[in-house]
Amino acid sequence: MAAQTQREWFEKDYYKVLGVPEEATDKDIRRAYRKLAKEHHPDSNPGHEDRFKEISAAYDVLSDAEKRTAYDEVRRLGPMAGGFGPGPGGPGAGGFTFTTDDLGDMGGLGDLFGNLFGGGGGRRRGAGPVGPRRGDDLETELHLSFLDAVNGVTTTVNLTSEMACHTCHGSGAAPGTTPVVCPQCGGRGSVEDNQGPFSFSRACPRCSGRGTIVESPCPTCRGSGVERRPRQVKVRIPAGVDDGQRIRLKGRGGAGRNGGPPGDLYVVVHVAPHDLFNRKGKDLLLTVPVTFPEAALGAEIKVPTLDGGPVTLRIPAGTRSGRTFRVKGRGVPVSKGAGDLLVTTEVAVPAKLTAEQRDAVETLAETTKESPRANLGV
C-alpha cells in the first residue's frame, strides 16, 4: 500500500464508512463489509467505484488487529493529546507532530506508525542521531572512621571518569575555533518530515541534535567534547551518616554529551567500627563492666563519651547485668538534635579469686537463703 493511501485512513471515520459502532466485533465488521461490498461492487453497480474503494480501505484497516489498534489510538489522542503537538499549519490545522522519541515511547504502536509513514519502523530512543544527552550517574566509595561519621567531615574522593575536555572545555572544537550553526537544521537540532496531516520530528542527522557542527575537531577529544581522566571531588559528609548510606552530589557525575548536562555522583559511605562504641540511629551504645559489689550496693562510676570527657553515672543498688541507663544529649549530633548515650551494665565475674575474696563469697553464699531460680519450679 502506498504511503499516501496509508495516511488517508487516519483522516476518515472507517467505522462510519462500514456503518458499525467502534466496539464492533471482528464478525460484525466482516458481515458489514460483505453486505456493502456486494451492494457497491463496480461489476454490478457501475459508478460506485469510489464508494467501493472507500469500503475496501475501511475494511483493510478494521479487519487487521494491529492496524485497528493504531487507528483507534490516533483517534483517541486527538491533535493536542498525549504530548503530540500541532502539525503543519499550527494548532488549528488539525495535524499531529510526532518525535522519534514519541514513537519509541509508544512501544508496538511506534513501530506501526513508523512503518505507515516511512519512519523506519518507529526508531527507538538512543538509535541513530541523538540530541543533547545527560551524563551518566556515577558511584564511588568512601571509607570513614567512626568519629568522622558521627561528627561529619569534609573530604575528597578520587575517581576516573569522563569530564569536559580540558583543551576545548567541552565544545569539541580545536583551540582558536568555535562550533558553527548547523546549515541543515538552522541551529534547532531537529528536522521535520511532513507526511500529510502528520509531521515527524527527529534529531538532525547532520549535527546529531546539537544545533551546531564542529568543522575543526579538538585534537584531544576528537570533537566529542569529553575525555576520560582522574579527578578529585570535594564532598561534605553530614554528621550522623550511617554505614552504607549514599550521598548524592548533583552535577558531579559523568560529562554530558552533545551539550547535555552532567550526571550525578553518588558516594557510598563505609564506616569503620569503634573500639568502645556502637550506634543505633542517633544513639550511641556503650557496654560498661561493673563489679558485683557496685551492682549490689550501688555506686557512682565514670563512663567515657565520644565528644569529650567522661560523665558520672549513678548505679543504684541491686542493678542487674544488662540494665541500660540513658545519658541525655551525649549521642550522635545530628541536625534534628543530638541522640543519647545508652550505657548497658555488665556485671564482671572474676576468673580467679584470692583467698580473701573466696572467703567473702562463701560467706555471702551461706547467708543467701533465697534462690533466684525459685520461680522455675525446679
Side-chain angles (χ1 to χ4, degrees), residues 88-344:
F96 299 82
T97 297
F98 293 89
T99 67
T100 53
D101 282 354
D102 291 329
L103 295 180
D105 289 338
M106 294 177 71
L109 293 180
D111 290 330
L112 181 59
F113 290 156
N115 288 327
L116 289 172
F117 299 109
R123 188 160 35 192
R124 291 293 199 270
R125 184 170 300 168
V130 295
R133 181 170 64 85
R134 181 179 179 272
D136 294 333
D137 288 338
L138 305 178
E139 185 174 280
T140 188
E141 296 182 340
L142 176 64
H143 293 266
L144 294 178
S145 69
F146 190 90
L147 191 61
D148 283 341
V150 168
N151 295 325
V153 66
T154 297
T155 184
T156 58
V157 292
N158 299 303
L159 68 155
T160 299
S161 66
E162 288 187 342
M163 291 289 295
C165 175
H166 74 282
T167 301
C168 65
H169 305 291
S171 71
T177 67
T178 58
V180 298
V181 174
C182 175
Q184 184 168 344
C185 66
R188 295 187 304 275
S190 63
V191 293
E192 291 187 357
D193 291 333
N194 293 330
Q195 303 283 345
F198 290 85
S199 177
F200 286 86
S201 177
R202 57 189 175 88
C204 174
R206 179 76 179 274
C207 66
S208 298
R210 287 176 292 186
T212 59
I213 58 175
V214 176
E215 295 180 332
S216 300
C218 169
T220 301
C221 65
R222 299 180 181 179
S224 68
V226 298
E227 63 175 334
R228 189 171 181 83
R229 68 173 189 263
R231 60 184 171 120
Q232 283 190 334
V233 179
K234 188 176 181 179
V235 54
R236 186 183 69 82
I237 303 299
V241 66
D242 289 315
D243 182 57
Q245 185 172 334
R246 299 173 82 220
I247 306 296
R248 176 185 176 224
L249 302 180
K250 186 176 181 180
R252 302 309 301 273
R257 295 278 187 169
N258 299 335
D264 298 333
L265 175 62
Y266 290 88
V267 179
V268 181
V269 177
H270 297 285
V271 181
H274 194 275
D275 292 337
L276 297 178
F277 297 93
N278 287 311
R279 273 188 62 186
K280 184 178 181 181
K282 62 179 182 178
D283 292 332
L284 289 176
L285 311 179
L286 176 66
T287 299
V288 175
V290 294
T291 64
F292 177 77
E294 288 174 331
L297 303 176
E300 289 187 351
I301 62 174
K302 298 286 186 179
V303 296
T305 63
L306 196 62
D307 61 346
V311 295
T312 300
L313 180 66
R314 183 177 178 276
I315 303 296
T319 294
R320 298 190 178 193
S321 185
R323 182 174 176 179
T324 298
F325 298 88
R326 184 180 297 271
V327 181
K328 291 284 188 179
R330 303 308 291 267
V332 179
V334 295
S335 59
K336 295 182 179 180
D340 300 329
L341 173 62
L342 304 182
V343 181
T344 300

